[in-house]
Amino acid sequence: MSERSTTLFAYGSHLQPIRTGRAADAASALAWIVGAAATLGHPAGLALAGFLLGIVATSVERAVAAGASFGISVAAAGVVWLTVTGSMPPTAGFTPIELLGLALVGPPTVAAIVRALG
């Protein structure tokens, strides 16, 4: 009998070359870029960023760290935007406190769930 995978879904083993191979850094950078671009369009991009960062992470701990660093970067970018322009960035009707909470909690949570599943 073959040994079962340690993840819930079978796709995890197929992602090993992307997670640990030569393209790992490029995959992580691409996840950041796509997530940032999606977040500019709508705050739901934070969840997409967490999803992508969870897919390319090598462990749940690294997924949480990548998601948290992305959220902190988005929050810092929002503060810089507010400081430079004097107005809030496009937020689709969310208050600044809601956006801060979404940025700091959303990506690490989604990244951890995605990585734990696969």
Side-chain angles (χ1 to χ4, degrees):
M1 184 177 214
S2 66
E3 194 171 315
R4 295 193 76 173
S5 173
T6 59
T7 61
L8 184 59
F9 296 109
Y11 71 83
S13 61
H14 298 298
L15 294 173
Q16 277 310 107
I18 294 172
R19 291 178 175 156
T20 59
R22 292 183 346 172
D25 290 336
S28 181
L30 185 61
W32 270 75
I33 292 167
V34 171
T39 302
L40 282 174
H42 193 275
L46 293 166
L48 176 64
F51 177 80
L52 294 173
L53 290 168
I55 285 177
V56 300
T58 57
S59 67
V60 174
E61 293 82 10
R62 289 183 182 252
V64 170
S69 63
F70 182 84
I72 291 167
S73 298
V74 167
V79 169
V80 169
W81 180 296
L82 181 61
T83 302
V84 171
T85 66
S87 66
M88 285 295 297
T91 59
F94 289 97
T95 67
I97 298 300
E98 290 171 338
L99 282 176
L100 183 61
L102 284 172
L104 297 179
V105 175
T109 303
V110 172
I113 291 169
V114 167
R115 184 57 184 102
L117 293 177

